Amino acid sequence: MAKSKIIKELANSSIDTMTALKRLKILLLSLNKPELDNWVNCELNGYKNIDDVPEYRRFRGQVTANFIIGNAYKMMTYTNTPLPTTNLSDEIKDIIEDGVFNEGISAIKEMEGNELGKSIPPEIYGALTKGTNITSITSASAKISKTAPTEIIASVETKILEILCILEKEFGILDELDIECSDKSEQEINEVCQKILNVIYVDKSITIGNDNKITKSDLHTQ
C-alpha cells in the first residue's frame, strides 16, 4: 500500500489536479529531464504548440448544422441537425471533426458541464452538402461531448498517480517533495524517466516535440 501522503491525498480527492501537478513538478525537477518538466508545465499553463498536445486531449466532434432545403416557394429550415461525414475525405473530416483541448488544466476544469464545439468554416459547406438535397448551410459546427473535460482531468490525475507510484517505488516516501538520485546510475535514472514517459503517452513512444501532428481546433463553449 502506498505510504506517501501526496498519493493518498490525490487518490482520496483531497487535493485538486492543479495542486497535484505543482507538487509533481517539484519532484520531477530532481530527475533533470526537460521532457517531464515540460509536460507538467503544459498541463498547468496550456500547450502553446498544438503539435505537442497529447492524444488524451483530442476528441472527435459530431457535425451539426443549420440549413435550408427548397426554394422561395417551398422551403424547410432545419436547426442543429446532425450531418453525415462518411462521404468526406479523411483530411476534411480531420479538419472539421478533430477537437483539441490545449488549455491549462484549470481552464479545462471550468469547461465541465458546458456545451462545447468548434465552428466549421464556410468554405467547407460545399463539401458537406455534396450528394445531399440541402440547398444551403447557414452555420455549422462540430459538437464535442460534454464529458470531454472531465475525461481529460481524470486522465491527467490517473497519470499523476501512476507517476507518483513509480517515484515512490524507486526513491521511497515522497512527503518531503524531494527525491535522492545520488545512489542511482544515469542508466537507472533514464529507465525511470522512460517509464514515466510511457505513462504520459500511453506506451506509444511519443516524445514531446516530435513530428506527430494534430489539427488546431479553436474549441469554444456554446
PDB file of all heavy atoms in Angstrom, residues 195-214:
ATOM      1  N   LYS A 195       9.944   5.124 -18.076  1.00  0.00           N
ATOM      2  CA  LYS A 195       8.702   4.570 -17.529  1.00  0.00           C
ATOM      3  C   LYS A 195       7.656   5.671 -17.383  1.00  0.00           C
ATOM      4  O   LYS A 195       6.478   5.473 -17.692  1.00  0.00           O
ATOM      5  CB  LYS A 195       8.960   3.928 -16.162  1.00  0.00           C
ATOM      6  CG  LYS A 195       9.727   2.613 -16.208  1.00  0.00           C
ATOM      7  CD  LYS A 195       9.957   2.088 -14.793  1.00  0.00           C
ATOM      8  CE  LYS A 195      10.786   0.809 -14.795  1.00  0.00           C
ATOM      9  NZ  LYS A 195      11.050   0.328 -13.408  1.00  0.00           N
ATOM     10  N   ILE A 196       8.090   6.829 -16.923  1.00  0.00           N
ATOM     11  CA  ILE A 196       7.168   7.951 -16.738  1.00  0.00           C
ATOM     12  C   ILE A 196       6.660   8.459 -18.085  1.00  0.00           C
ATOM     13  O   ILE A 196       5.469   8.749 -18.245  1.00  0.00           O
ATOM     14  CB  ILE A 196       7.853   9.085 -15.946  1.00  0.00           C
ATOM     15  CG1 ILE A 196       8.186   8.596 -14.534  1.00  0.00           C
ATOM     16  CG2 ILE A 196       6.969  10.322 -15.894  1.00  0.00           C
ATOM     17  CD1 ILE A 196       9.009   9.577 -13.726  1.00  0.00           C
ATOM     18  N   LEU A 197       7.551   8.566 -19.060  1.00  0.00           N
ATOM     19  CA  LEU A 197       7.133   8.999 -20.400  1.00  0.00           C
ATOM     20  C   LEU A 197       6.123   8.028 -20.993  1.00  0.00           C
ATOM     21  O   LEU A 197       5.170   8.424 -21.662  1.00  0.00           O
ATOM     22  CB  LEU A 197       8.350   9.126 -21.317  1.00  0.00           C
ATOM     23  CG  LEU A 197       9.234  10.357 -21.092  1.00  0.00           C
ATOM     24  CD1 LEU A 197      10.510  10.241 -21.906  1.00  0.00           C
ATOM     25  CD2 LEU A 197       8.492  11.625 -21.440  1.00  0.00           C
ATOM     26  N   ASN A 198       6.322   6.731 -20.724  1.00  0.00           N
ATOM     27  CA  ASN A 198       5.376   5.730 -21.217  1.00  0.00           C
ATOM     28  C   ASN A 198       4.006   5.905 -20.570  1.00  0.00           C
ATOM     29  O   ASN A 198       2.979   5.686 -21.212  1.00  0.00           O
ATOM     30  CB  ASN A 198       5.904   4.318 -20.949  1.00  0.00           C
ATOM     31  CG  ASN A 198       7.046   3.939 -21.863  1.00  0.00           C
ATOM     32  OD1 ASN A 198       7.257   4.569 -22.903  1.00  0.00           O
ATOM     33  ND2 ASN A 198       7.800   2.929 -21.480  1.00  0.00           N
ATOM     34  N   VAL A 199       3.980   6.297 -19.302  1.00  0.00           N
ATOM     35  CA  VAL A 199       2.709   6.569 -18.624  1.00  0.00           C
ATOM     36  C   VAL A 199       2.021   7.770 -19.268  1.00  0.00           C
ATOM     37  O   VAL A 199       0.825   7.750 -19.555  1.00  0.00           O
ATOM     38  CB  VAL A 199       2.933   6.832 -17.124  1.00  0.00           C
ATOM     39  CG1 VAL A 199       1.674   7.409 -16.475  1.00  0.00           C
ATOM     40  CG2 VAL A 199       3.339   5.555 -16.416  1.00  0.00           C
ATOM     41  N   ILE A 200       2.786   8.813 -19.509  1.00  0.00           N
ATOM     42  CA  ILE A 200       2.219  10.042 -20.064  1.00  0.00           C
ATOM     43  C   ILE A 200       1.652   9.812 -21.453  1.00  0.00           C
ATOM     44  O   ILE A 200       0.557  10.279 -21.782  1.00  0.00           O
ATOM     45  CB  ILE A 200       3.290  11.153 -20.116  1.00  0.00           C
ATOM     46  CG1 ILE A 200       3.704  11.542 -18.702  1.00  0.00           C
ATOM     47  CG2 ILE A 200       2.779  12.369 -20.878  1.00  0.00           C
ATOM     48  CD1 ILE A 200       4.902  12.492 -18.644  1.00  0.00           C
ATOM     49  N   TYR A 201       2.377   9.072 -22.268  1.00  0.00           N
ATOM     50  CA  TYR A 201       1.977   8.914 -23.660  1.00  0.00           C
ATOM     51  C   TYR A 201       1.463   7.515 -23.985  1.00  0.00           C
ATOM     52  O   TYR A 201       1.500   7.087 -25.127  1.00  0.00           O
ATOM     53  CB  TYR A 201       3.148   9.296 -24.574  1.00  0.00           C
ATOM     54  CG  TYR A 201       3.512  10.743 -24.396  1.00  0.00           C
ATOM     55  CD1 TYR A 201       4.683  11.119 -23.748  1.00  0.00           C
ATOM     56  CD2 TYR A 201       2.652  11.751 -24.830  1.00  0.00           C
ATOM     57  CE1 TYR A 201       5.002  12.440 -23.550  1.00  0.00           C
ATOM     58  CE2 TYR A 201       2.962  13.084 -24.639  1.00  0.00           C
ATOM     59  CZ  TYR A 201       4.129  13.421 -24.004  1.00  0.00           C
ATOM     60  OH  TYR A 201       4.437  14.746 -23.807  1.00  0.00           O
ATOM     61  N   VAL A 202       0.981   6.797 -23.004  1.00  0.00           N
ATOM     62  CA  VAL A 202       0.273   5.523 -23.192  1.00  0.00           C
ATOM     63  C   VAL A 202       1.072   4.538 -24.034  1.00  0.00           C
ATOM     64  O   VAL A 202       0.553   3.933 -24.972  1.00  0.00           O
ATOM     65  CB  VAL A 202      -1.121   5.745 -23.816  1.00  0.00           C
ATOM     66  CG1 VAL A 202      -2.018   4.536 -23.560  1.00  0.00           C
ATOM     67  CG2 VAL A 202      -1.791   6.981 -23.273  1.00  0.00           C
ATOM     68  N   ASP A 203       2.357   4.427 -23.720  1.00  0.00           N
ATOM     69  CA  ASP A 203       3.216   3.430 -24.383  1.00  0.00           C
ATOM     70  C   ASP A 203       3.264   3.543 -25.895  1.00  0.00           C
ATOM     71  O   ASP A 203       3.488   2.558 -26.591  1.00  0.00           O
ATOM     72  CB  ASP A 203       2.789   2.009 -23.998  1.00  0.00           C
ATOM     73  CG  ASP A 203       3.068   1.725 -22.541  1.00  0.00           C
ATOM     74  OD1 ASP A 203       4.112   2.148 -22.045  1.00  0.00           O
ATOM     75  OD2 ASP A 203       2.220   1.085 -21.918  1.00  0.00           O
ATOM     76  N   LYS A 204       3.080   4.759 -26.421  1.00  0.00           N
ATOM     77  CA  LYS A 204       3.149   4.926 -27.873  1.00  0.00           C
ATOM     78  C   LYS A 204       4.496   5.482 -28.311  1.00  0.00           C
ATOM     79  O   LYS A 204       4.678   5.845 -29.465  1.00  0.00           O
ATOM     80  CB  LYS A 204       2.023   5.862 -28.344  1.00  0.00           C
ATOM     81  CG  LYS A 204       0.637   5.230 -28.190  1.00  0.00           C
ATOM     82  CD  LYS A 204      -0.443   6.122 -28.758  1.00  0.00           C
ATOM     83  CE  LYS A 204      -1.804   5.445 -28.645  1.00  0.00           C
ATOM     84  NZ  LYS A 204      -2.900   6.286 -29.173  1.00  0.00           N
ATOM     85  N   SER A 205       5.413   5.579 -27.343  1.00  0.00           N
ATOM     86  CA  SER A 205       6.770   6.053 -27.624  1.00  0.00           C
ATOM     87  C   SER A 205       6.778   7.423 -28.285  1.00  0.00           C
ATOM     88  O   SER A 205       7.604   7.705 -29.146  1.00  0.00           O
ATOM     89  CB  SER A 205       7.522   5.043 -28.516  1.00  0.00           C
ATOM     90  OG  SER A 205       7.619   3.801 -27.879  1.00  0.00           O
ATOM     91  N   ILE A 206       5.847   8.272 -27.905  1.00  0.00           N
ATOM     92  CA  ILE A 206       5.813   9.636 -28.418  1.00  0.00           C
ATOM     93  C   ILE A 206       6.618  10.503 -27.473  1.00  0.00           C
ATOM     94  O   ILE A 206       6.478  10.402 -26.268  1.00  0.00           O
ATOM     95  CB  ILE A 206       4.370  10.167 -28.487  1.00  0.00           C
ATOM     96  CG1 ILE A 206       3.532   9.283 -29.419  1.00  0.00           C
ATOM     97  CG2 ILE A 206       4.330  11.610 -28.971  1.00  0.00           C
ATOM     98  CD1 ILE A 206       2.066   9.639 -29.428  1.00  0.00           C
ATOM     99  N   THR A 207       7.444  11.365 -28.005  1.00  0.00           N
ATOM    100  CA  THR A 207       8.175  12.302 -27.177  1.00  0.00           C
ATOM    101  C   THR A 207       7.776  13.713 -27.553  1.00  0.00           C
ATOM    102  O   THR A 207       7.408  13.980 -28.697  1.00  0.00           O
ATOM    103  CB  THR A 207       9.702  12.139 -27.349  1.00  0.00           C
ATOM    104  OG1 THR A 207      10.031  12.257 -28.733  1.00  0.00           O
ATOM    105  CG2 THR A 207      10.159  10.793 -26.846  1.00  0.00           C
ATOM    106  N   ILE A 208       7.854  14.607 -26.592  1.00  0.00           N
ATOM    107  CA  ILE A 208       7.431  15.984 -26.828  1.00  0.00           C
ATOM    108  C   ILE A 208       8.294  16.615 -27.905  1.00  0.00           C
ATOM    109  O   ILE A 208       9.509  16.507 -27.914  1.00  0.00           O
ATOM    110  CB  ILE A 208       7.538  16.791 -25.518  1.00  0.00           C
ATOM    111  CG1 ILE A 208       6.517  16.254 -24.510  1.00  0.00           C
ATOM    112  CG2 ILE A 208       7.330  18.274 -25.751  1.00  0.00           C
ATOM    113  CD1 ILE A 208       6.640  16.848 -23.141  1.00  0.00           C
ATOM    114  N   GLY A 209       7.624  17.290 -28.863  1.00  0.00           N
ATOM    115  CA  GLY A 209       8.347  17.995 -29.894  1.00  0.00           C
ATOM    116  C   GLY A 209       8.685  17.158 -31.103  1.00  0.00           C
ATOM    117  O   GLY A 209       9.488  17.551 -31.931  1.00  0.00           O
ATOM    118  N   ASN A 210       8.063  15.986 -31.271  1.00  0.00           N
ATOM    119  CA  ASN A 210       8.370  15.195 -32.456  1.00  0.00           C
ATOM    120  C   ASN A 210       7.467  15.599 -33.604  1.00  0.00           C
ATOM    121  O   ASN A 210       6.857  16.660 -33.593  1.00  0.00           O
ATOM    122  CB  ASN A 210       8.292  13.692 -32.149  1.00  0.00           C
ATOM    123  CG  ASN A 210       6.864  13.242 -31.854  1.00  0.00           C
ATOM    124  OD1 ASN A 210       5.921  14.009 -31.906  1.00  0.00           O
ATOM    125  ND2 ASN A 210       6.727  11.976 -31.536  1.00  0.00           N
ATOM    126  N   ASP A 211       7.301  14.762 -34.620  1.00  0.00           N
ATOM    127  CA  ASP A 211       6.572  15.145 -35.823  1.00  0.00           C
ATOM    128  C   ASP A 211       5.121  14.722 -35.824  1.00  0.00           C
ATOM    129  O   ASP A 211       4.468  14.732 -36.869  1.00  0.00           O
ATOM    130  CB  ASP A 211       7.247  14.541 -37.075  1.00  0.00           C
ATOM    131  CG  ASP A 211       8.622  15.157 -37.304  1.00  0.00           C
ATOM    132  OD1 ASP A 211       8.774  16.347 -36.976  1.00  0.00           O
ATOM    133  OD2 ASP A 211       9.508  14.452 -37.800  1.00  0.00           O
ATOM    134  N   ASN A 212       4.559  14.330 -34.666  1.00  0.00           N
ATOM    135  CA  ASN A 212       3.151  13.979 -34.618  1.00  0.00           C
ATOM    136  C   ASN A 212       2.318  15.240 -34.723  1.00  0.00           C
ATOM    137  O   ASN A 212       2.522  16.195 -33.981  1.00  0.00           O
ATOM    138  CB  ASN A 212       2.827  13.261 -33.298  1.00  0.00           C
ATOM    139  CG  ASN A 212       3.505  11.916 -33.269  1.00  0.00           C
ATOM    140  OD1 ASN A 212       3.015  10.950 -33.813  1.00  0.00           O
ATOM    141  ND2 ASN A 212       4.671  11.874 -32.628  1.00  0.00           N
ATOM    142  N   LYS A 213       1.357  15.268 -35.659  1.00  0.00           N
ATOM    143  CA  LYS A 213       0.596  16.471 -35.966  1.00  0.00           C
ATOM    144  C   LYS A 213      -0.843  16.328 -35.517  1.00  0.00           C
ATOM    145  O   LYS A 213      -1.472  15.299 -35.715  1.00  0.00           O
ATOM    146  CB  LYS A 213       0.615  16.755 -37.487  1.00  0.00           C
ATOM    147  CG  LYS A 213       2.027  16.877 -38.073  1.00  0.00           C
ATOM    148  CD  LYS A 213       2.782  18.046 -37.474  1.00  0.00           C
ATOM    149  CE  LYS A 213       4.179  18.184 -38.086  1.00  0.00           C
ATOM    150  NZ  LYS A 213       4.950  19.269 -37.474  1.00  0.00           N
ATOM    151  N   ILE A 214      -1.377  17.395 -34.919  1.00  0.00           N
ATOM    152  CA  ILE A 214      -2.784  17.463 -34.547  1.00  0.00           C
ATOM    153  C   ILE A 214      -3.321  18.794 -35.041  1.00  0.00           C
ATOM    154  O   ILE A 214      -2.738  19.842 -34.789  1.00  0.00           O
ATOM    155  CB  ILE A 214      -2.980  17.349 -33.025  1.00  0.00           C
ATOM    156  CG1 ILE A 214      -2.455  15.999 -32.529  1.00  0.00           C
ATOM    157  CG2 ILE A 214      -4.438  17.513 -32.641  1.00  0.00           C
ATOM    158  CD1 ILE A 214      -2.531  15.818 -31.045  1.00  0.00           C
TER     159      ILE A 214
END
